[in-house]
Amino acid sequence: MYEILSVRELAPKIKLFEVHAPEIAEKARPGQFIMVIINEKGERVPLTIAEYDAGKGTIAFAFNEVGKTTKQLGTLKEGDRVWNITGPLGNPSEIRNFGRVLCVAGGVMIAPMLLQIKALHETGNTVVAVVGARIKELLFFKEEIKALSHKFYVATDDGSEGYKSLEFLKDVLAEEKFDRCVAMGPVPMLKTVSEFTKPFGIPTVVTLMPVMVDGMGMCGVCRVSVGGKMKFGCVDGPEFDGHLVDYEELIKRQRMFLPEERLSSLLWELGGCGCGRK
Ligand SMILES: Cc1cc2nc3c(=O)[nH]c(=O)nc-3n(C[C@H](O)[C@H](O)[C@H](O)COP(=O)(O)OP(=O)(O)OC[C@H]3O[C@@H](n4cnc5c(N)ncnc54)[C@H](O)[C@@H]3O)c2cc1C
Ligand code: FES
């Protein structure tokens, strides 16, 4: 059992949990993820590590309440426990002095991007950061990321804060030289950023979030096509060369259980999970 030490609401339906997990905190690195199981009957939910502190024996992860399990997770409070957490899983991000790094984060993935930016900043990189969300109310960690960045941009889909959409990035890329781009967020955002950086030959690393089951390379559910080769998101990733990813296939595969997910979410909304907690 893993105790939740603190709960922070970062934005509507986006929460950050700090959890006591000393054995994971000791080994965790930026870019890795964990598998959370709420209770004995729970499914495995992959979530990216957003913070770790080996000294305190804690890790933190942020999640968006999008379906049954993440909504259920959202009902937990400080002092509650989750049944199991496995990790750290996946390969750590490559962190070294690249030079000028463009970091683009969207939605809930702004949380693990802060960890990434801290590491890039500490290794001497000049970070240019972009945080984006559908609407301004879903933005968070702006001040924290700005403090570590040489330049800082905000974009929203509806233009309610900062630039409207990521189109402005085309001008930024035309005017400034970058040695690397790191992108975390929804697939359409990763695809757009990769399309923008490709003509400039900027190595672009994207974090993929295919549906996963075991997270350890055994089930094959997390298959993605990268450069025409089949890769497993969990053990070969989760980071891949953004210019080589087959995004259309990824989007299709992410939707393969949509009817079941919708039903499960609806049943949860109607009656909870039977554990006494709505
Ligand atoms: C490596 C990795 C890291 C991730 N990091 C984060 C994170 O830091 N924060 C966050 O909010 N979300 C993250 N996700 C996505 C998160 O795992 C899903 O949102 C979650 O599993 C949804 O479960 P649900 O029951 O609430 O919703 P569901 O209704 O089951 O699913 C909603 C959507 O989430 C995706 N999804 C569903 N099940 C899985 C699964 N087992 N594995 C991956 N995606 C799934 C599907 O696209 C689906 O359409 C990550 C996914 C991966 C693979
Ligand atoms: S999640 Fe099973 S192989 Fe990757």
Side-chain angles (χ1 to χ4, degrees):
M1 299 291 270
Y2 293 79
E3 187 182 352
I4 299 164
L5 301 175
S6 70
V7 174
R8 188 170 156 199
E9 185 150 358
L10 298 174
K13 294 190 189 303
I14 300 182
K15 294 199 173 106
L16 181 80
F17 278 10
E18 185 192 23
V19 172
H20 185 243
E23 69 290 2
I24 302 176
E26 205 176 304
K27 296 185 193 130
R29 294 288 172 272
Q32 292 185 294
F33 66 95
I34 48 169
M35 280 282 183
V36 178
I37 307 178
I38 297 187
N39 56 36
E40 297 91 322
K41 292 183 182 169
E43 62 175 349
R44 297 162 74 86
V45 180
L47 297 168
T48 309
I49 295 170
E51 192 62 82
Y52 56 85
D53 186 327
K56 279 166 52 189
T58 59
I59 58 165
F61 53 87
F63 61 94
N64 211 347
E65 296 176 29
V66 290
K68 193 247 170 189
T69 303
T70 45
K71 283 178 189 170
Q72 190 178 0
L73 204 55
T75 65
L76 300 184
K77 308 269 177 290
E78 193 180 306
D80 285 345
R81 288 161 194 265
V82 291
W83 191 64
N84 188 265
I85 302 181
T86 308
L89 299 169
N91 297 296
S93 309
E94 190 183 347
I95 303 286
R96 59 182 170 85
N97 193 338
F98 297 101
R100 257 176 102 79
V101 185
L102 176 66
C103 296
V104 188
V108 66
M109 297 306 278
I110 294 171
M113 182 58 97
L114 174 59
L115 177 64
Q116 186 96 198
I117 288 176
K118 276 182 192 161
L120 288 167
H121 179 75
E122 279 165 16
T123 40
N125 291 283
T126 299
V127 173
V128 173
V130 180
V131 295
R134 274 189 296 113
I135 52 174
K136 67 175 180 185
E137 288 77 13
L138 296 176
L139 293 164
F140 55 90
F141 284 170
K142 283 183 291 182
E143 291 312 314
E144 291 86 340
I145 291 180
K146 195 175 175 181
L148 299 169
S149 308
H150 174 66
K151 283 189 184 172
F152 176 74
Y153 301 95
V154 173
T156 46
D157 289 354
D158 66 349
S160 52
E161 186 168 335
Y163 289 93
K164 190 171 186 319
S165 91
L166 287 175
E167 280 296 306
F168 79 97
L169 262 183
K170 285 182 180 166
D171 294 334
V172 173
L173 288 162
E175 284 161 19
E176 298 181 37
K177 181 188 161 298
F178 292 100
D179 301 295
R180 188 176 177 86
C181 172
V182 180
M184 291 175 145
V187 182
M189 189 207 91
L190 303 180
K191 184 171 181 256
T192 300
V193 172
S194 301
E195 281 167 3
F196 286 177
T197 58
K198 198 170 180 181
F200 298 96
I202 302 166
T204 299
V205 175
V206 294
T207 296
L208 301 188
M209 300 193 288
V211 173
M212 291 186 181
V213 176
D214 63 291
M216 294 176 193
M218 288 181 284
C219 68
V221 168
C222 64
R223 289 194 302 280
V224 287
S225 295
V226 182
K229 293 194 179 122
M230 191 189 76
K231 300 278 177 189
F232 283 2
C234 62
V235 288
D236 298 319
E239 294 183 352
F240 291 97
D241 181 336
H243 298 150
L244 299 179
V245 172
D246 183 338
Y247 292 103
E248 302 311 320
E249 185 195 76
L250 177 61
I251 290 170
K252 267 192 220 143
R253 288 189 60 82
Q254 275 187 331
R255 291 181 180 163
M256 61 186 169
F257 300 113
L258 211 54
E260 291 85 353
E261 287 161 1
R262 284 201 178 132
L263 180 64
S264 176
S265 186
L266 186 68
L267 290 173
W268 163 256
E269 295 277 348
L270 290 174
C273 68
C275 67
R277 191 179 271 129
K278 172 90 170 69

